[in-house]
Amino acid sequence: MYNFQYANPTRICFGEGQIASLPTLIPPGSRLLVLYGGGSIKQNGVYEQLTRALEGVTWQEFSGIGANPRYELLMEAVAQVKRERIDFLLAVGGGSVVDGTKFVAAAACYEGSNPWDICGKQVSVHQALPMGCVLTLPATGSENNPTSVVSRGDVKISFRSPLVQPQFAVLDPATTYSLPARQTGNGVVDAFIHITEQYLTFPVGGDVQDRLAEGLLQVLVENGPRALAEPTNYQVRANLMWAASLALNGLIGCGVPQDWASHAIGHQLTALYGLDHGQSLAVVLPSLLRERASQKQDKLAQFAERVWHSTREDKALRIEEAIIRTEQFFQKMGLGTRLADYGLSESCIPAVCSNLKRVGRTALGEHQDIDPDRVARILARAL
Ligand code: NZQ
Ligand code: ZN
């Protein structure tokens, strides 16, 4: 196991009715801005609960933060923050709203002339407004991590800063009953692949990390399809929500190598062709695992045995069985696993590779040896 430091400063407030605890979480006397998306919170009762909880608090709102939050819109929120002297931000929604709010938190305090540099040039964030969140879509882990992903034109880039990690995250599984099946599926697949990015690399003796990762993967495999069949089953939703948070709160990635190539490639498919984040990953991961099967063979064989309970004697067959079972799981969650499922053909391959070069992502994976040529081979396997 490698050396590491670990701290996760986000307070998790988990369970039905926890939105009511917001007044105890937001510092008294705050000038609060509530940021949300396209309106799902007005249909599922979350906005109503919020309004009730925030009685007596001074607050205003900013709405319309869509999937893959866009820089230009977020800068409108920054203008509101400055104009109204806002000093605390509350994100209410899925990963896009939380990520967008993180950017607003940093950009509102940015002293340089061009806040896009926080993403585009990875300029360090020295100051940010404090924020918290109410999560309504288990998927990204953004509610308890320091990462934000922002889009501008056909570029989608992440930045990280401990200063934008939410101080608290309200996780009420009942708020996820209203998720469309497509978003439930996307969320489960995204969380699954956050785990594989930190687990399917090479062994370094991280038994704790491995067993945690395998346990979380099994929770997703067991509960994901049940959420589609029984959308209002509280225990199922609760287990998915907690698993997705733990999948990307830094814990299982401590002291072990990490991959993240599927994410880097997937982001280009989203930026260029509009695939949902989960969909882009469902296309890339199986092909990436096949392309890298020999470098990843020890962990893939372990994944086959412990997660998919494969009993095949032959290691290569066991690995292929695990990849097929993974693909079938994504399909069961309603996601296509081939480029053709999204109307894409081989003409997308050079475009994805050149976008990766544009954003400087030309040495990917746990060995930093996935260059654009290898990316092209991975995508060719996914046609
Ligand atoms: O906008 P509204 O009306 O709220 O609708 C949203 C949106 O259309 C809807 N939704 C959310 N909660 C709902 C609901 N509909 C009904 N009931 C509810 N309870 O779902 C749609 C998708 O929401 P979005 O926030 O875009 O989804 P997700 O949480 O999957 O976030 C995806 C974004 O997060 C980034 C992705 O790249 C993408 O931009 N990621 C962020 C990460 C991080 N910060 O650590 C890591 C991830 O790998 C990922 O890259
Ligand atoms: Zn993801």
Side-chain angles (χ1 to χ4, degrees):
M1 200 189 301
Y2 303 152
N3 294 357
F4 65 87
Q5 291 193 1
Y6 179 70
N8 191 309
T10 301
R11 174 179 296 274
I12 302 290
C13 305
F14 194 96
E16 191 155 18
Q18 288 300 303
I19 291 175
S21 61
L22 281 172
T24 66
L25 300 166
I26 297 164
S30 294
R31 288 179 63 83
L32 175 70
L33 182 66
V34 175
L35 300 97
Y36 60 95
S40 69
I41 65 164
K42 294 215 164 151
Q43 278 145 28
N44 61 10
V46 169
Y47 188 83
E48 216 179 297
Q49 290 184 60
L50 192 73
T51 314
R52 222 176 303 130
L54 294 180
E55 260 170 38
V57 177
T58 309
W59 65 286
Q60 45 187 282
E61 57 185 58
F62 182 89
S63 64
I65 300 179
N68 311 305
R70 304 211 72 83
Y71 169 74
E72 290 77 7
L73 183 79
L74 299 175
M75 288 308 293
E76 289 177 26
V78 170
Q80 184 172 345
V81 165
K82 290 185 173 171
R83 192 175 62 240
E84 304 291 336
R85 293 176 293 109
I86 298 295
D87 57 18
F88 198 94
L89 304 178
L90 179 66
V92 185
S96 293
V97 174
V98 180
D99 282 7
T101 302
K102 288 175 176 177
F103 182 79
V104 172
C109 302
Y110 186 69
E111 289 185 344
S113 56
N114 185 2
W116 175 247
D117 291 346
I118 296 169
C119 297
K121 294 190 179 160
Q122 300 283 298
V123 171
S124 296
V125 173
H126 297 298
Q127 213 190 328
L129 288 179
M131 64 175 282
C133 67
V134 175
L135 188 77
T136 64
L137 200 177
T140 62
S142 186
E143 67 278 12
N144 57 185
N145 73 36
T147 303
S148 161
V149 190
V150 178
S151 296
R152 187 178 193 185
D154 57 9
V155 168
K156 186 173 176 185
I157 305 187
S158 63
F159 78 96
R160 286 166 69 88
S161 167
L163 296 174
V164 300
Q165 175 146 350
Q167 293 187 348
F168 61 82
V170 174
L171 307 182
D172 176 349
T175 66
T176 71
Y177 293 165
S178 58
L179 281 169
R182 170 169 157 186
Q183 298 304 343
T184 296
N186 281 340
V188 168
V189 169
D190 189 22
F192 188 99
I193 296 177
H194 293 158
I195 301 166
T196 61
E197 297 278 29
Q198 301 165 88
Y199 165 69
L200 288 178
T201 56
F202 54 89
V204 293
D207 295 357
V208 174
Q209 295 87 332
D210 282 4
R211 295 286 184 182
L212 285 170
E214 289 151 2
L216 291 171
L217 289 169
Q218 288 175 82
V219 168
L220 295 173
V221 169
E222 287 162 14
N223 288 277
R226 286 188 71 190
L228 294 179
E230 309 163 45
T232 58
N233 183 322
Y234 181 82
Q235 299 305 345
V236 166
R237 292 295 196 179
N239 280 299
L240 289 179
M241 201 164 209
W242 190 217
S245 289
L246 289 169
L248 198 49
N249 74 346
L251 181 63
I252 65 168
C254 286
V256 296
Q258 303 192 18
D259 180 339
W260 296 106
S262 295
H263 270 72
I265 302 167
H267 282 344
Q268 313 317 318
L269 288 170
T270 299
L272 290 165
Y273 306 107
L275 272 68
D276 293 346
H277 176 59
Q279 295 172 336
S280 74
L281 301 173
V283 167
V284 177
L285 180 77
S287 295
L288 181 136
L289 295 180
R290 290 198 171 96
E291 179 69 24
R292 307 297 286 168
S294 64
Q295 290 83 359
K296 291 178 182 288
Q297 56 176 313
D298 293 338
K299 294 303 283 287
L300 275 170
Q302 183 178 320
F303 172 63
E305 287 156 31
R306 295 188 186 172
V307 177
W308 296 113
H309 311 296
S310 174
T311 52
R312 285 176 195 267
E313 287 278 314
D314 182 88
K315 197 173 182 184
L317 289 179
R318 217 180 322 144
I319 289 173
E320 181 54 22
E321 183 187 348
I323 299 173
I324 291 172
R325 296 283 300 277
T326 301
E327 271 172 328
Q328 288 170 342
F329 173 61
F330 296 165
Q331 288 158 5
K332 204 167 170 183
M333 292 310 301
L335 284 83
T337 53
R338 317 296 301 182
L339 288 163
D341 294 329
Y342 304 97
L344 296 178
S345 64
E346 57 199 336
S347 63
C348 77
I349 297 176
V352 168
C353 293
S354 79
N355 234 35
L356 277 168
K357 286 183 202 155
R358 245 173 91 197
V359 294
R361 306 298 308 274
T362 53
L364 305 173
E366 65 272 24
H367 301 292
Q368 285 95 54
D369 60 351
I370 302 185
D371 59 10
D373 287 345
R374 283 217 166 96
V375 172
R377 287 210 287 278
I378 290 165
L379 291 173
R381 285 177 182 269
L383 289 169

